[in-house]
């Protein structure tokens, strides 16, 4: 009898399975800079949305819960690999129509301190809402409203302030007071206290207009009027027309071949894609045959030498491709890189002043990585430049404006806040995009996503990204090891200075100092990385931040 019951149950099960095949759970992963963006991205994927839907919803949530960098008043880059094809949504800010080359110089031609960094003059025309709109139009699958709604709720009902956020808000307010910089940041954020609910009613109203009217809810109508009026009242130059004119752009990602991978990365106006490919390729050309020990003296030295050359090229040739003819192909040509790598010696530091651009004979941003159940991926880096941007909140609209204008070169030979230099390629012109170091990057193999990576950190972003790739590929690290491993950065100027995280071994530090390097120990970046190892996803967010990474099975894989 028992056998019969068993048999009947098995047969019925088979019949049920045949007519109702089980939904196969498929892995998806998110690595995000805070728990709200992480939980929202996961919920969107579980609802059947794709990686781009999850990214759009997360971007809007970050504008509420991560005011240091998440934004609607800034810009960024979204790198997408969907259905086997790459796309790059450039939503970088632009210079307002009334901007001009010398706008940050005094009568004597000297750069006016802080003018491009804090206050009403520091902002470019925001690109984030247009970028999300374009990404949604091209690649979204769920309704726009569904994607903006989670942010509206968090702004309206409030969110619990993480102690790290409360502390950075208080530190920022005291710093502004100490420096006597008059911005209205404190009026909006001084009530954000650790572990308490913080509501943002004006921001909620702005987000509702965006939810209900799409792109026009920001660039036209009431929001545009509030921004332009606010600008006029305080002597700023962003006009209603500037907002109306703003266009996000879809560009061809840069694709480079490196060690059997296709590196899908960020084209200009990011300097990062070209830089990481130059860095990875010149490393292979300059290093001795045989493996080098991770973060050993020689490894750090060779990569610093490569960095000198990469940053000399960046300062000279990189800018907005719509305004300046960036010699992309020449900068990535194998023979050019081979020639450029020949001067690198294993044991001696090259003279900084002698490293010129080679073709003719510079904190707060945030990044997230998503892979959906169909293998599509998004690497998105977004910014208002420094922590809390220009410190200016648009009264009546409740969002912080960027200080991205500082990424232009205010004057040749004068460094910006990240120590980056630039010339004509990155001088200020109306409607031009300022050069960026943001480098969202996806590694492909046989057109399958193998790694999604990116970081904040100004010019150090480039080092965080190429080192994350070397850590995963050359040193076979897990996602957690990749994001938490100590990193280092050298960018030509300041002369022979290597910035690094705690964690380089004392003997390596001593040996580098003996060679003539100066070591500057200061943490940089906040990495959120996903690795696909033989079909299994591995995701991690850097432990020093407040990120949250998850790999999960999702039953909803019909699309
Ligand atoms: O686009 C850029 O390169 C800079 N505005 C990024 C700023 C940044 O990463 C600050 N973060 N720590």
């Amino acid at each position: 009898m028992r056998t019969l019951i068993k048999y009947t149950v098995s047969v019925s099960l088979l019949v049920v399975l045949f007519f109702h095949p089980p939904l196969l759970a498929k892995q998806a992963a998110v690595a995000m800079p805070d728990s709200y963006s992480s939980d929202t991205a996961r919920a969107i994927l579980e609802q059947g949305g794709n990686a781009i839907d999850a990214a759009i919803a997360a971007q809007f949530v970050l504008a509420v819960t991560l005011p240091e960098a998440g934004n609607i008043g800034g810009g960024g880059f979204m790198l997408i690999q969907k259905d086997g094809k790459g796309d790059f949504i450039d939503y970088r800010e632009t210079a307002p129509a009334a901007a001009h080359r010398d706008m940050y110089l005094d009568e004597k031609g000297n750069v006016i301190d802080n003018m491009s960094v804090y206050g009403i003059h520091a902002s470019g025309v925001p690109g984030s809402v247009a970028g999300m709109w374009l990404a949604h139009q091209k690649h979204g699958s769920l309704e726009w409203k569904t994607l903006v709604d989670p942010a509206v709720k968090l702004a309206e009902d409030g969110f619990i302030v993480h102690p790290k956020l409360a502390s950075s808000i208080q530190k920022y307010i005291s710093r502004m007071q100490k420096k006597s910089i008059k911005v209205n940041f404190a009026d909006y954020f001084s009530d954000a206290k650790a572990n308490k609910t913080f509501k943002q009613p004006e921001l909620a109203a702005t987000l509702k207009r965006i939810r209900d009217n799409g792109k026009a809810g920001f660039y036209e109508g009431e929001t545009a009027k509030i921004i332009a009026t606010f600008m006029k009242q305080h002597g700023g130059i962003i006009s209603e027309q500037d907002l109306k004119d703003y266009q996000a752009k879809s560009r061809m990602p840069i694709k480079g071949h490196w060690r059997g991978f296709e590196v899908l990365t960020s084209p200009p106006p990011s300097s990062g894609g070209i830089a990481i490919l130059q860095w990875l390729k010149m490393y292979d050309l300059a290093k001795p045959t045989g493996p080098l020990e991770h973060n050993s003296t020689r490894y750090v030295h060779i990569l610093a030498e490569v960095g000198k050359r990469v940053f000399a090229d960046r300062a000279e040739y990189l800018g907005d491709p719509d305004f300046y003819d960036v010699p992309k192909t020449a900068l990535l040509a194998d023979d050019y890189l081979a020639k450029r790598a020949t001067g690198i010696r294993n044991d001696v530091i090259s003279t900084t002043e002698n490293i010129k651009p080679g073709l003719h004979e510079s904190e707060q941003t945030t990044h997230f990585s998503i892979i959906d159940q169909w293998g599509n991926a998004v690497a998105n880096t977004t910014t208002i430049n420094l922590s809390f941007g220009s410190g200016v909140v648009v009264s009546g609209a409740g969002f912080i404006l960027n200080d991205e204008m500082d990424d232009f070169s205010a004057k040749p030979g004068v460094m910006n806040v990240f120590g980056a230099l630039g010339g004509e390629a990155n001088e200020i012109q109306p409607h031009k995009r300022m050069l960026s170091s943001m480098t969202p990057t996806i590694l492909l193999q046989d057109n399958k996503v193998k790694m999604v990576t990116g970081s904040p950190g100004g010019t150090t972003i480039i080092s965080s990204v190429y080192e994350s790739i070397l850590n995963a590929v050359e040193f076979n690290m897990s996602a957690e090891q990749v994001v938490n491993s100590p990193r280092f950065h050298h960018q030509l100027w300041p002369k022979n200075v290597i910035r690094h995280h705690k964690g380089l071994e004392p003997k390596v530090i001593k040996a580098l100092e003996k060679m003539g390097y100066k070591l500057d120990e200061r943490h940089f970046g906040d990495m959120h990385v996903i690795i696909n190892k033989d079909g299994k996803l591995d995701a991690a967010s850097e432990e020093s931040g407040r990120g949250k990474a998850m790999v999960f099975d999702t039953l909803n894989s019909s699309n």
Side-chain angles (χ1 to χ4, degrees):
M1 183 67 180
R2 267 168 72 185
T3 323
L4 184 67
I5 293 173
K6 238 186 187 167
Y7 173 80
T8 317
V9 170
S10 315
V11 169
S12 335
L13 197 66
L14 277 176
V15 170
V16 170
L17 286 177
F18 184 80
F19 289 106
H20 302 277
L23 285 173
L24 282 177
K26 289 232 181 106
Q27 267 194 329
V30 297
M32 319 294 289
D34 79 349
S35 64
Y36 293 102
S37 55
S38 198
D39 295 343
T40 302
R42 177 177 181 157
I44 294 287
L45 293 176
E46 287 180 336
Q47 259 173 264
N50 63 29
I52 297 88
D53 293 318
I56 295 167
Q59 170 82 21
F60 283 113
V61 163
L62 289 167
V64 180
T65 62
L66 201 123
E68 305 99 306
N71 67 83
I72 52 174
F77 300 134
M78 187 185 287
L79 179 68
I80 295 169
Q81 171 76 3
K82 178 162 178 275
D83 303 332
K85 285 196 207 95
D87 192 6
F88 182 77
I89 305 294
D90 167 2
Y91 59 100
R92 182 72 165 164
E93 301 91 325
T94 54
H100 56 92
R101 196 192 61 187
D102 298 336
M103 64 186 278
Y104 297 114
L105 304 185
D106 62 17
E107 336 55 84
K108 291 193 183 122
N110 296 323
V111 173
I112 304 168
D113 272 354
N114 290 330
M115 192 179 170
S116 62
V117 185
Y118 302 109
I120 202 81
H121 299 290
S123 310
V125 183
S128 295
V129 178
M132 296 308 109
W133 184 251
L134 180 60
H136 184 254
Q137 291 212 307
K138 287 191 78 180
H139 306 289
S141 71
L142 298 186
E143 269 196 58
W144 174 256
K145 285 184 171 37
T146 311
L147 305 181
V148 189
D149 226 21
V152 171
K153 291 206 171 68
L154 286 161
E156 192 161 51
D157 303 341
F159 71 96
I160 309 287
V161 175
H162 193 288
K164 282 183 183 168
L165 170 57
S167 141
S168 38
I169 287 175
Q170 289 317 316
K171 276 190 199 142
Y172 184 77
I173 294 175
S174 356
R175 211 166 60 237
M176 293 296 107
Q177 280 165 350
K178 254 195 216 137
K179 289 185 168 182
S180 305
I181 290 170
K182 290 195 174 39
V183 286
N184 66 349
F185 177 82
D187 302 347
Y188 277 80
F189 289 94
S190 53
D191 287 346
K193 301 279 185 248
N195 304 316
K196 296 268 183 299
T197 303
F198 179 59
K199 297 182 182 178
Q200 299 172 80
E202 285 186 1
L203 179 59
T206 303
L207 287 166
K208 278 183 189 165
R209 290 191 289 273
I210 294 167
R211 179 193 63 192
D212 300 339
N213 305 309
K215 182 184 159 192
F218 185 86
Y219 294 94
E220 293 173 45
E222 195 175 338
T223 313
K225 274 207 167 56
I226 296 175
I227 300 170
T229 309
F230 179 77
M231 280 281 151
K232 267 198 195 130
Q233 276 168 357
H234 297 90
I237 60 172
I238 298 177
S239 66
E240 268 190 84
Q241 192 62 42
D242 282 327
L243 294 162
K244 213 169 169 187
D245 288 345
Y246 183 84
Q247 299 278 348
K249 296 196 170 178
S250 160
R251 301 187 190 273
M252 282 278 283
I254 286 188
K255 255 189 191 180
H257 296 276
W258 176 78
R259 295 196 195 179
F261 291 95
E262 240 180 350
V263 183
L264 190 72
T265 185
S266 309
S270 169
S271 58
I274 288 176
I276 65 158
L277 278 165
Q278 284 193 326
W279 222 310
L280 292 168
K281 287 184 179 212
M282 275 198 267
Y283 171 64
D284 282 1
L285 291 161
K287 77 181 185 72
T289 43
L292 281 177
E293 198 186 314
H294 183 248
N295 285 359
S296 58
T297 309
R298 186 153 294 183
Y299 179 77
V300 176
H301 164 66
I302 289 175
L303 287 165
E305 280 292 315
V306 173
K308 279 183 153 150
R309 285 144 181 91
V310 168
F311 269 84
D313 281 356
R314 180 193 191 275
E316 183 72 13
Y317 304 120
L318 275 288
D320 182 346
D322 299 338
F323 285 74
Y324 187 85
D325 196 9
V326 178
K328 278 196 293 208
T329 316
L331 287 170
L332 292 174
D334 289 342
D335 52 347
Y336 169 67
L337 294 176
K339 211 163 85 197
R340 201 118 168 91
T342 48
I344 298 177
R345 290 188 42 198
N346 273 330
D347 45 358
V348 182
I349 306 181
S350 54
T351 309
T352 304
E353 290 79 359
N354 293 345
I355 305 294
K356 305 283 181 214
L359 279 183
H360 313 298
E361 288 320 289
S362 148
E363 145 175 9
Q364 196 68 13
T365 294
T366 190
H367 172 88
F368 59 77
S369 299
I370 302 176
I371 296 184
D372 70 19
Q373 50 269 52
W374 302 281
N376 303 315
V378 166
N380 185 79
T381 313
T382 187
T383 190
I384 41 177
N385 199 24
L386 297 187
S387 244
F388 308 112
S390 62
V392 174
V393 184
V394 178
S395 302
F399 66 88
I400 301 177
L401 279 166
N402 67 81
D403 58 342
E404 223 72 66
M405 291 296 282
D406 191 65
D407 277 349
F408 277 119
S409 167
K411 185 181 171 177
V414 178
M415 292 174 184
N416 75 353
V417 283
F418 298 110
L421 293 166
E424 190 195 330
N426 191 33
E427 70 181 16
I428 306 172
Q429 287 178 52
H431 303 300
K432 189 177 176 181
R433 284 161 152 84
M434 53 298 280
L435 185 61
S436 174
S437 298
M438 292 184 289
T439 318
T441 294
I442 297 173
L443 228 61
L444 302 168
Q445 200 167 39
D446 303 325
N447 215 28
K448 294 223 160 47
V449 175
K450 289 288 165 191
M451 182 176 186
V452 187
T453 181
S455 179
T459 46
T460 65
I461 291 173
I462 296 169
S463 291
S464 293
V465 172
Y466 88 75
E467 284 168 42
S468 72
I469 294 173
L470 280 173
N471 286 345
V473 173
E474 171 125 330
F475 301 105
N476 211 18
M477 289 185 187
S478 66
E480 205 163 313
Q481 290 169 318
V482 167
V483 296
N484 294 320
S485 167
R487 300 185 291 270
F488 55 90
H489 172 72
H490 179 59
Q491 61 176 51
L492 190 66
W493 295 102
K495 191 172 173 165
N496 301 332
V497 170
I498 293 180
R499 186 169 164 185
H500 70 105
H501 291 202
K502 216 182 183 127
L504 280 186
E505 282 183 41
K507 70 169 198 267
V508 169
I509 294 177
K510 260 203 185 134
L512 289 166
E513 285 172 341
K514 211 165 153 210
M515 287 178 80
Y517 286 111
K518 290 182 225 36
L519 278 285
D520 171 16
E521 187 184 312
R522 265 186 303 146
H523 184 99
F524 58 86
D526 181 38
M527 299 214 76
H528 303 277
V529 164
I530 306 177
I531 294 173
N532 170 0
K533 218 171 204 160
D534 308 321
K536 268 206 140 119
L537 299 184
D538 179 18
S541 292
E542 204 166 322
E543 65 194 7
S544 54
R546 51 182 210 265
K548 179 173 170 185
M550 300 183 273
V551 175
F552 49 96
D553 288 334
T554 163
L555 289 173
N556 201 337
S557 54
S558 58
N559 197 14

